[in-house]
Amino acid sequence: MNVPLFVALFVQLFCAAAVTGSVHVSLEDQRVGEGSVSGRRTGRLYCRVGIGFHLQIHPSGRVNGSHEPNHLSALELFAVSQGVIGIRGVFSNRFLAMNKRGWLHATETFTDDCKFRERFQENSYNTYTSVIHKNRRTGREWFVALNKRGKAKMGSNPRVKAQHVSTHFLPRMNLHEKSEQSFTITAREQEKVLAAPVRQKPSVPKVAISTRQKGSQTVKYWPKFRFG
């Protein structure tokens, strides 16, 4: 058996395996990177209490609600684990947190106080509860809530429950992208020009009668989605 030929063949197989493994690792890393990006949502959290408020995070660490959406109410929601998310203010670059007394505030670093459990309610609204802070005696969870004046409520308050509107938030994600879920029907009539001579005196010239529609009538339909 030719030993140099066998050694050369073995070296070629080893190099090919190394290249294939590196390509496989890079593809796996790419999948992981895409998953982390897709797990982030940017938008606003609208609370329907009172006249309606958008949850906003200030650079000073204060948390409250604003009736009109603004740059402070732009939030980024990202997944931490299954059913657990973190909320970060896009402008303030601070994370929403709840302390051991149940007060909402914002911090510069992400800690366990910044982890909230997101639950979908039957009325299409969401509730957010602290993962680590709750009533130790009864086990009642502490909710993120706003009062009717737009101020942050204490989550440890016994009146703050999942059934109350102060804890109901509607995520309004990707507001910068207009969702095209409608179709448009445009009725446009062609120009109709009717020219007919008028048989009167020879001194009267011919008259051309034209009819033109100034604009087009647009009707927009929004389809209704029903489940069940």
Side-chain angles (χ1 to χ4, degrees), residues 165-224:
V165 294
S166 61
T167 62
H168 295 175
F169 290 88
L170 180 64
R172 295 178 174 178
M173 300 292 111
N174 298 326
L175 298 180
H176 59 282
E177 297 179 359
K178 186 177 180 180
S179 178
E180 295 294 338
Q181 295 181 350
S182 63
F183 57 92
T184 305
I185 297 178
T186 304
R188 185 186 299 274
E189 296 184 0
Q190 298 180 354
E191 296 181 358
K192 298 180 180 179
V193 180
L194 303 177
V198 180
R199 296 182 179 179
Q200 293 181 0
K201 297 180 181 181
S203 59
V204 179
K206 297 180 181 180
V207 179
I209 302 175
S210 63
T211 304
R212 175 177 298 182
Q213 188 176 3
K214 294 183 179 180
S216 60
Q217 184 179 3
T218 303
V219 181
K220 199 165 188 179
Y221 294 90
W222 292 89
K224 296 182 179 179

Side-chain angles (χ1 to χ4, degrees), residues 5 26 31 35 38 42 50 63 79 117 136-137 161 184 227:
L5 181 61
S26 61
R31 293 191 186 98
S38 61
T42 303
V63 177
R117 195 176 307 278
R136 302 299 178 183
R137 183 173 58 86
K161 301 179 181 179
T184 305
F227 302 93

Side-chain angles (χ1 to χ4, degrees), residues 60-123:
S60 60
R62 188 164 60 96
V63 177
N64 62 355
S66 172
H67 178 61
E68 296 295 335
N70 51 44
H71 59 283
L72 292 176
S73 61
L75 306 176
E76 182 187 45
L77 280 68
F78 55 93
V80 178
S81 60
Q82 184 176 4
V84 179
I85 67 168
I87 303 175
R88 182 183 69 89
V90 176
F91 176 78
S92 61
N93 196 23
R94 289 177 175 267
F95 300 94
L96 180 68
M98 180 181 292
N99 61 15
K100 60 183 180 180
R101 296 184 58 189
W103 285 113
L104 292 176
H105 64 283
T107 61
E108 296 181 353
T109 58
F110 186 82
T111 61
D112 291 338
D113 293 343
C114 305
K115 297 180 181 180
F116 296 92
R117 195 176 307 278
E118 183 180 35
R119 289 189 176 92
F120 302 95
Q121 303 299 323
E122 297 179 354
N123 57 358

Side-chain angles (χ1 to χ4, degrees), residues 97-105 112-113 116 130-136 140-145 152-160:
M98 180 181 292
N99 61 15
K100 60 183 180 180
R101 296 184 58 189
W103 285 113
L104 292 176
H105 64 283
D112 291 338
D113 293 343
F116 296 92
S130 176
V131 174
I132 62 174
H133 297 304
K134 60 182 179 180
N135 193 317
R136 302 299 178 183
R140 187 182 63 85
E141 296 180 315
W142 293 354
F143 291 84
V144 176
K153 300 185 69 173
M154 182 181 291
S156 57
N157 190 337
R159 296 182 179 181
V160 179

